[in-house]
Amino acid sequence: TNGLNSYKEAIAKIDAERAALASEYQQADTQAKKNEVIARARKVITQSITNDLFPFWYGTDWDFNGVTETPNQGKIACGYFVSTLLRDAGWKVERARLAQQASENIILSLTAEPHVKRFRRVAIGDFAKAVKEWGEGIYVVGLDIHTGFIVNTGGEVYFVHSSYVEPYVVVKERAVESGILSSSNYRVIGKLSADDQ
């Protein structure tokens, strides 16, 4: 139960940070001040998901029909992993409806076309380089038959997902070393952290 409490604490911490940033944003009396709060919010959400939420989920079992909401209890499908994490980080999503969409629809329901890029038959090294150049942040990626998160920390590009191949659990791997990511012909990514909305 400890893990559960601390996961709930991690969610509560993000919630509190979001509330504080929201009130700061409302009190900002110039566009420059508003932009500065948004810039900080981008960093906070990226770091919170990466450092506070993801680690609880590593090792949680994958299942095609998995719908658990609790890290390391039950099993989770790739789409549910994405929608649950986003909901827990503060996005207003309908977890089940989002999880069952095609991955490109998941992305387009979360962010606008200017924050979306599509890659067809692009070598994994070139793909990772393109993401690195796109900048730090949290991305959702849709593949031929899979979805997950791409995290660009500035230093490295990672793929965090509920893996349907060995080891069949939620994993964080270097994008260039991911078999699933490199074997997909189609990759569509949306940079959620870039969207001011």
Side-chain angles (χ1 to χ4, degrees), residues 113-139:
E113 198 62 59
H115 308 293
V116 176
K117 288 184 183 173
R118 293 169 181 81
F119 300 83
R120 275 188 182 76
R121 296 190 172 80
V122 171
I124 189 67
D126 295 335
F127 170 77
K129 187 167 167 271
V131 174
K132 200 169 187 169
E133 285 165 4
W134 200 358
E136 291 181 40
I138 291 272
Y139 302 75

Side-chain angles (χ1 to χ4, degrees), residues 15-127:
D15 219 39
E17 285 176 321
R18 188 173 65 250
L21 285 160
S23 87
E24 237 186 287
Y25 183 80
Q26 275 148 8
Q27 284 158 25
D29 48 9
T30 65
Q31 195 54 51
K33 283 182 189 167
K34 284 188 188 305
N35 293 346
E36 192 273 324
V37 177
I38 288 176
R40 254 187 309 138
R42 281 191 227 290
K43 281 201 166 69
V44 166
I45 198 66
T46 300
Q47 286 163 354
S48 300
I49 292 176
T50 309
N51 304 332
D52 300 336
L53 298 186
F54 280 160
F56 284 103
W57 286 94
Y58 298 146
T60 302
D61 288 330
W62 167 86
D63 182 80
F64 183 75
N65 300 306
V67 296
T68 186
E69 299 187 50
T70 310
N72 285 297
Q73 287 181 28
K75 299 180 174 193
I76 195 149
C78 64
Y80 273 92
F81 175 64
V82 169
S83 66
T84 304
L85 258 291
L86 291 174
R87 181 201 63 188
D88 292 351
W91 266 267
K92 290 184 171 47
V93 297
E94 287 182 50
R95 193 178 84 105
R97 217 178 85 208
L98 190 69
Q100 292 157 7
Q101 300 277 328
S103 55
E104 183 156 353
N105 295 351
I106 293 180
I107 292 163
L108 290 172
S109 74
L110 294 167
T111 189
E113 198 62 59
H115 308 293
V116 176
K117 288 184 183 173
R118 293 169 181 81
F119 300 83
R120 275 188 182 76
R121 296 190 172 80
V122 171
I124 189 67
D126 295 335
F127 170 77

Side-chain angles (χ1 to χ4, degrees), residues 158-177:
Y158 294 100
F159 182 37
V160 180
H161 62 115
S162 186
S163 179
Y164 63 87
V165 299
E166 282 282 350
Y168 305 106
V169 294
V170 174
V171 290
K172 171 187 180 182
E173 47 193 6
R174 290 182 63 221
V176 289
E177 289 168 4

